[in-house]
Amino acid sequence: MARIAVCPGSFDPITYGHLDIIRRGAKVFDMVYVSVMNNSAKNPLFSVEERINLIEAVTKDLSNVKVDEHSGLLVDYAKAVNANAIIRGLRAVSDFEYEMQITSMNRVLNEDIETFFIMTNNQYSFLSSSIVKEVAKYNGDISTLVPPIVEKELHKKYKRLKS
Ligand code: ADP
């Protein structure tokens, strides 16, 4: 049986922290679907299409990674793409409680789909899309936090939003 995983998230935008998790997941699973959650409640900076394009650009060297989007229940999406695993990243103890709640709920909804946690590289443990956006907004240096193409798009967004 092929080992197929879904790596869900907002990715608004993708950071080196996300990329670290995706790369490590792609080493272990035959196929990884990176799926952007299409959740209108979150008021994102980048559209779903823009987020997908950025993820595709920075994962193009990984032949077993596919980028997609989903709305509705994650377990339903996972089933639709024949995935038997969900990959999530863990940064700090503070992530734990929320992740445990989601994992338990997903298990109630579908006990055949197993959630795997990958602990982030220490150098990214403080990194989140929100923090990157905050720094980019005030024109801070984000070159060590996101790939160059993401950096460029973030600066474009904030210049456009300012005027
Ligand atoms: P969500 O809204 O689902 O939390 P995110 O885009 O913030 O979406 O995160 C998607 C996944 O990537 C989550 O599992 C999150 O823990 C993980 N992640 C985010 N930032 C990092 C990081 N710096 N290191 C490791 N994992 C991360």
Side-chain angles (χ1 to χ4, degrees):
M1 191 170 73
R3 289 167 302 185
I4 303 173
V6 171
C7 184
S10 310
F11 304 104
D12 186 37
I14 186 164
T15 68
Y16 278 137
H18 292 124
L19 204 50
D20 181 43
I21 298 302
I22 296 167
R23 280 188 185 283
R24 290 202 272 145
K27 280 191 205 161
V28 178
F29 289 90
D30 299 315
M31 175 64 78
V32 175
Y33 287 89
V34 179
S35 191
V36 175
M37 272 186 282
N38 195 341
N39 176 355
S40 52
K42 269 203 165 178
N43 195 18
L45 178 66
F46 290 91
S47 70
V48 170
E49 200 190 344
E50 289 170 325
R51 284 179 269 163
I52 289 178
N53 289 341
L54 287 176
I55 303 169
E56 276 177 347
V58 300
T59 58
K60 59 174 186 278
D61 61 310
L62 301 168
S63 59
N64 61 338
V65 169
K66 274 203 187 127
V67 189
D68 199 1
E69 64 174 288
H70 71 278
S71 47
L73 289 177
L74 177 62
V75 289
D76 290 341
Y77 170 76
K79 211 171 152 195
V81 295
N82 281 324
N84 39 27
I86 295 168
I87 299 173
R88 294 283 292 173
L90 274 185
R91 283 164 287 194
V93 182
S94 49
D95 281 342
F96 187 83
E97 202 165 328
Y98 172 73
E99 294 294 340
M100 198 170 121
Q101 212 178 354
I102 302 282
T103 302
S104 306
M105 181 46 75
N106 283 337
R107 197 182 296 134
V108 168
L109 295 170
N110 187 334
E111 60 180 6
D112 297 327
I113 300 175
E114 204 57 63
T115 302
F116 292 85
F117 291 96
I118 300 183
M119 243 176 77
T120 187
N121 193 314
N122 287 350
Q123 76 188 106
Y124 303 132
S125 58
F126 65 94
L127 188 52
S128 67
S129 300
S130 351
I131 261 190
V132 169
K133 283 183 277 191
E134 201 61 22
V135 178
K137 197 163 151 184
Y138 299 106
N139 224 358
D141 181 5
I142 51 170
S143 60
T144 57
L145 312 178
V146 295
I149 184 176
V150 178
E151 184 182 2
K152 200 175 119 206
E153 292 306 313
L154 268 167
H155 285 313
K156 259 203 240 169
K157 278 268 177 215
Y158 283 114
K159 269 197 202 107
R160 178 133 40 101
L161 290 181
K162 258 190 252 169
S163 57

